[in-house]
């Protein structure tokens, strides 16, 4: 009897503890303050140092090839698909065993997960939908082209398709809630993948035609101004002129996604986002001419997605443009007070590694190179030719520096204290204005002296043959900075209230953060190490530096 009572008590305690643990892990959410954003995980800003697996690595037996690369990159988050075809191969019969294996292994690896719902649209096509969906054109209609013929892409007006996708997604979210609401291993969900249509501006099916001739919904009117003179209200053509068809298609797809996301969040309210196959960010604005994917969340229709899909937290750029001016332009276009910056995909080739500094310095929620696992598949020329450790290494060394300070960095970013630079293709110095201090970051310098001393010198530091420099700076106090980077020289001078004041380094501690985020100093730089700026080499260096004026 006594024993039983003790056991019962113990059980009660365990239940109480489990209850407390569940309560102690609030659901992830996106928060916003002063036009900046944070992804809250376990109640604090989270820095998503991610990788995305290849498209077909979403099977239990495949995961070992994924974890090995996740470890080598030192990622804290894995983005990986969950395909409609694999969870509902037969209508109404759900199988989430892959998700269970994934979550178990993610927890063992101490990695969080962003699930990518590959369903009605994956890179615009229905390939990941179950066979009972993708081959039944009667029940799940495809779009109709201008010529009246059916095309490859599912219609956003397919009522049965929406119903079925929503049902499967809701089942997934219900399952996640059941198996993960205590651990919160899954921190975010991407709804569909790179939606839109290639080769057609919109659906010309009967339902789409009818909707196209209706008045533009007031939420869209409130969010999206016409780029050309148009009516204040009326049909799509009256309001948006030559942009009408593309905008209408964006609205149709966003509305479909909204239905799916809303239903899923009603069950388990995780943050959700959509990702964008990009249009040229530097080309002059002009209506669609078969030159980009119509209907996806491209930069010029983010407003339409905001209007039609309030249950989608953000639209995110998948950046495979390796040119530094295009990379930067995409960041500018997608980072907005109403749209948090997340780079859920970028090339996994070495030149992209330097962009991590720029993106994290800009206060992004996170970043993930795409195609990070050890299957023998390379998506060159979008990414690396390598499929082994040499692909992982350039990102691994950057992530390794950020990992121990990931929570502080996310907090600093949310407070607006962080800045970032990636070496441009022009290799020219760049300046960053901070609070009362300006940083100038230059590249291809030696650690001692100045190139201008020996303009004919042909020697350059090894590893700088192509642009590879990057620096992130967090201004953690009025005169104090955490500087992390590679292949760069950093100089800081006064602006604002420090303008014109002579300054010098009080301390430049080289060191690292330990696993608890505590700063561990290795040595203090002075003399040659500071006389010519703070020179960061091929080895990712972390400095805690303080300036003084006199
Ligand atoms: C972007 C897509 O979102 C990915 O799933 C993948 O198809 C890459 N393009 C190309 O490898």
């Amino acid at each position: 009897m006594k024993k039983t009572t003790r056991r019962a008590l113990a059980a009660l305690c365990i239940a109480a503890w489990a209850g407390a643990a569940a309560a102690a892990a609030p659901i992830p959410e996106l928060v916003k303050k002063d036009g900046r954003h944070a992804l809250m995980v376990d109640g604090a800003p989270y820095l998503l140092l991610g990788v995305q697996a290849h498209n077909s690595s979403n099977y239990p037996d495949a995961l070992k090839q994924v974890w090995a690369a996740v470890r080598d990159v030192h990622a804290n988050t894995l983005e990986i698909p969950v395909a409609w075809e694999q969870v509902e191969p037969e209508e109404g019969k759900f199988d989430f065993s892959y998700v269970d294996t994934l979550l178990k292994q993610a927890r063992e690896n101490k990695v969080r997960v962003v699930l990518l719902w590959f369903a009605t649209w994956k890179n615009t096509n229905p390939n990941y939908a179950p066979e009972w969906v993708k081959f039944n054109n009667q029940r799940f209609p495809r779009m109709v082209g201008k010529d009246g013929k059916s095309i490859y892409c599912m219609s956003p007006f397919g009522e049965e398709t929406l119903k079925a996708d929503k049902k499967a997604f809701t089942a997934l979210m219900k399952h996640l809630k059941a198996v993960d609401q205590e651990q919160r291993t899954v921190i975010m969900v991407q709804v569909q993948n790179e939606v839109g249509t290639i080769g057609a501006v919109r659906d010309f099916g009967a339902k789409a035609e009818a909707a196209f001739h209706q008045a533009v919904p007031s939420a869209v009117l409130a969010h999206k101004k016409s780029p050309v003179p148009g009516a204040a209200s009326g049909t799509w053509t009256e309001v948006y002129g030559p942009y009408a068809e593309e905008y209408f298609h964006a609205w149709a797809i966003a509305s479909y996604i909204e239905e799916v996301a809303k239903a899923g969040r009603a069950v388990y309210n995780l943050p959700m986002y959509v990702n964008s196959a990009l249009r040229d960010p530097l080309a002059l604005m002009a209506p669609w001419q078969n030159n980009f994917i119509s209907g996806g969340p491209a930069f010029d229709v983010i407003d339409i997605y905001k209007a039609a899909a309030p249950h989608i937290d953000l639209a995110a750029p998948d950046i495979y443009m390796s040119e530094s001016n295009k990379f930067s332009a995409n960041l500018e276009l997608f980072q907005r007070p109403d749209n948090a910056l997340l780079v859920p995909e970028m090339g996994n080739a070495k030149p992209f590694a330097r962009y991590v500094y720029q993106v994290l310095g800009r206060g992004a929620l996170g970043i993930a190179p795409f195609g990070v696992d050890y299957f023998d598949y390379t998506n060159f020329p979008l990414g690396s030719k390598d499929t082994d450790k040499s692909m992982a290494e350039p990102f691994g060394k950057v992530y390794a520096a950020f990992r121990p300070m990931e929570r502080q960095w996310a907090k600093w970013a949310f407070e607006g204290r962080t800045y970032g630079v990636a070496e441009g293709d022009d290799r020219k110095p760049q300046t960053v204005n901070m609070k009362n201090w300006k940083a100038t970051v230059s590249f291809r310098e030696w650690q001692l002296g100045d190139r201008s001393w020996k303009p004919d010198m042909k020697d350059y530091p090894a590893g700088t043959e192509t642009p590879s420099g990057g620096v992130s700076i967090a201004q953690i106090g009025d005169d104090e900075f955490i500087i992390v980077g590679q292949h760069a020289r950093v100089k800081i001078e006064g602006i604002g209230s420090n303008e014109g004041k002579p300054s010098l380094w009080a301390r430049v501690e080289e060191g690292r953060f330990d696993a608890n985020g505590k700063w561990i100093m290795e040595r203090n730089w002075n003399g040659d190490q500071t006389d010519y700026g703070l020179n960061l080499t091929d080895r990712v260096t972390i400095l805690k530096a303080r300036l003084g004026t006199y």
Side-chain angles (χ1 to χ4, degrees):
M1 183 72 192
K2 225 175 171 185
K3 231 177 178 181
T4 322
T5 313
R6 250 195 233 131
R7 247 191 230 142
L9 258 179
L12 264 179
C13 288
I14 289 168
W17 178 84
I27 193 160
E29 62 170 337
L30 216 75
V31 295
K32 180 178 161 184
K33 190 169 180 257
D34 301 333
R36 288 186 294 273
H37 307 262
L39 173 62
M40 305 297 279
V41 173
D42 299 340
Y46 182 79
L47 187 69
L48 194 160
L49 295 166
V51 293
Q52 185 164 146
H54 277 299
N55 285 168
S56 307
S57 305
N58 52 315
Y59 288 87
D61 283 351
L63 289 173
K64 54 186 175 305
Q65 308 267 55
V66 177
W67 297 124
V70 168
R71 279 192 292 270
D72 286 345
V73 175
H74 304 290
N76 62 13
T77 308
L78 170 66
E79 300 172 354
I80 191 162
V82 49
W84 186 5
E85 66 174 1
Q86 79 184 127
V87 300
E88 197 185 6
E90 251 185 84
E91 187 168 7
K93 291 197 179 147
F94 292 100
D95 174 3
F96 293 110
S97 51
Y98 153 67
V99 175
D100 294 341
T101 307
L102 172 69
L103 297 196
K104 180 174 173 288
Q105 295 185 4
R107 289 171 194 148
E108 284 162 6
N109 282 280
K110 297 192 172 27
V111 165
R112 305 282 181 148
V113 171
V114 172
L115 277 181
L116 317 173
W117 177 238
F118 284 11
T120 301
W121 297 292
K122 193 283 170 190
N123 291 24
T124 78
N125 66 58
N127 295 357
Y128 282 84
E131 290 186 40
W132 56 269
V133 172
K134 64 188 172 193
F135 297 119
N136 185 346
N137 216 32
Q138 280 306 105
R139 187 171 159 206
F140 306 110
R142 287 178 157 73
M143 283 171 50
V144 175
K146 218 169 192 163
D147 58 3
K149 289 192 185 137
S150 171
I151 59 174
Y152 76 98
C153 185
M154 302 305 271
S155 166
F157 292 92
E159 281 162 23
E160 280 287 301
T161 329
L162 173 57
K163 208 163 114 194
D165 188 326
K166 201 157 83 171
K167 185 174 161 205
F169 186 66
T170 310
L172 168 68
M173 296 309 290
K174 193 170 162 203
H175 185 77
L176 281 185
K177 183 177 182 188
V179 299
D180 196 43
Q181 67 176 332
E182 283 179 22
Q183 287 95 335
R184 312 287 194 200
T185 309
V186 177
I187 55 173
M188 196 155 41
V189 178
Q190 180 189 291
V191 189
Q192 316 293 344
N193 188 83
E194 291 199 350
V195 298
T197 308
I198 298 168
V201 67
R202 69 172 174 95
D203 190 358
F204 290 85
K207 282 189 184 137
E209 273 300 283
F212 184 65
H213 294 103
Q214 297 292 306
V216 177
S218 55
V220 176
L221 290 175
H223 275 84
K224 183 69 187 169
K225 302 285 155 262
S226 179
V228 292
S233 62
T235 65
W236 291 85
T237 308
E238 284 163 354
V239 178
Y240 296 115
Y243 293 88
E245 298 197 296
E246 178 208 339
Y247 287 7
F248 168 77
H249 196 37
W251 168 78
I253 293 180
S255 304
Y256 182 108
I257 293 175
E258 165 66 7
E259 287 290 307
V260 176
K262 187 171 150 193
R265 292 182 80 147
V267 173
Y268 187 42
N269 191 18
L270 284 180
M272 295 192 186
Y273 73 97
V274 289
N275 61 333
S276 172
L278 303 174
R279 56 183 294 184
D280 187 340
L282 300 177
L284 278 181
M285 256 315 272
W288 182 89
Q289 284 171 320
N290 208 356
N291 52 342
F292 56 86
I293 292 176
S294 180
F299 68 82
D300 57 321
V301 293
I302 292 177
D303 297 312
I304 293 179
Y305 272 74
K306 295 284 170 203
H311 286 85
I312 291 296
D313 290 295
L314 62 106
D318 292 348
I319 316 185
Y320 291 91
M321 299 172 187
S322 60
E323 305 92 327
S324 58
N325 57 347
K326 290 193 176 174
F327 198 98
S328 301
N330 282 312
L331 300 181
E332 292 284 340
L333 290 163
F334 278 84
Q335 185 170 32
R336 320 187 331 178
D338 66 348
N339 196 63
L341 181 62
L342 168 73
V343 181
E345 293 182 36
M346 71 170 176
N348 63 353
K350 193 174 174 183
F352 284 90
R354 72 195 201 274
Y355 294 131
V356 174
Y357 297 105
Q358 182 181 12
V359 170
L360 299 186
R362 287 185 74 109
L365 305 181
I367 188 164
F370 173 87
V372 179
D373 61 38
Y374 289 150
F375 280 97
D376 56 346
Y377 183 85
T378 144
N379 70 348
F380 179 83
L382 295 182
S384 174
K385 284 181 185 166
D386 299 318
T387 57
D388 57 11
K389 277 176 185 283
S390 49
M391 169 268 292
E393 196 266 344
F395 298 93
K397 67 184 201 180
V398 188
Y399 279 18
F402 276 97
R403 278 303 301 274
M405 59 171 167
E406 58 195 4
R407 289 294 189 160
Q408 285 103 315
W409 193 273
K411 186 168 169 285
W412 292 328
F414 192 36
E415 291 167 355
R417 296 173 180 273
T418 62
Y419 307 88
V421 163
E423 184 175 1
D425 297 332
D426 63 7
R427 325 217 61 182
K428 289 194 177 140
Q430 298 177 40
T431 55
V432 176
N433 286 348
M434 304 181 287
K435 192 174 155 212
N436 297 322
W437 294 102
K438 176 175 87 176
T440 301
V441 183
S442 53
F443 306 95
R444 304 207 82 188
E445 297 278 8
W446 289 96
Q447 287 162 284
L448 186 143
D450 196 290
R451 284 214 82 81
S452 62
W453 296 359
K454 285 182 175 252
D456 298 333
M457 183 169 59
K458 296 281 180 285
D459 294 292
Y460 288 95
T464 67
E465 297 76 18
T466 54
S468 55
V471 177
S472 301
I473 304 178
Q475 186 167 12
I476 61 170
D478 281 348
D479 307 321
E480 195 167 17
F481 309 87
I482 296 296
I483 301 171
V484 49
Q486 65 189 47
H487 288 309
R489 167 176 288 186
V490 182
K491 287 183 174 177
I492 300 188
E493 65 189 303
I495 54 171
S497 65
N498 289 325
E499 180 88 51
K501 285 189 196 162
S503 64
L504 82 167
W505 290 111
R507 298 282 294 174
V508 180
E509 296 183 3
E510 177 180 355
R512 64 192 159 80
F513 286 89
D514 72 9
N516 302 316
K518 184 169 169 282
W519 176 250
I520 310 286
M521 184 195 97
E522 188 186 333
R523 59 179 184 150
N524 185 44
W525 284 10
N526 209 333
D528 285 351
Q529 281 65 49
T530 56
D531 285 346
Y532 309 96
L534 309 180
N535 289 284
L536 313 174
T537 61
D538 186 59
R539 182 176 56 86
V540 177
T541 307
I542 311 177
L543 302 172
K544 185 163 180 275
R546 186 161 43 81
L547 281 154
T549 54
Y550 57 93

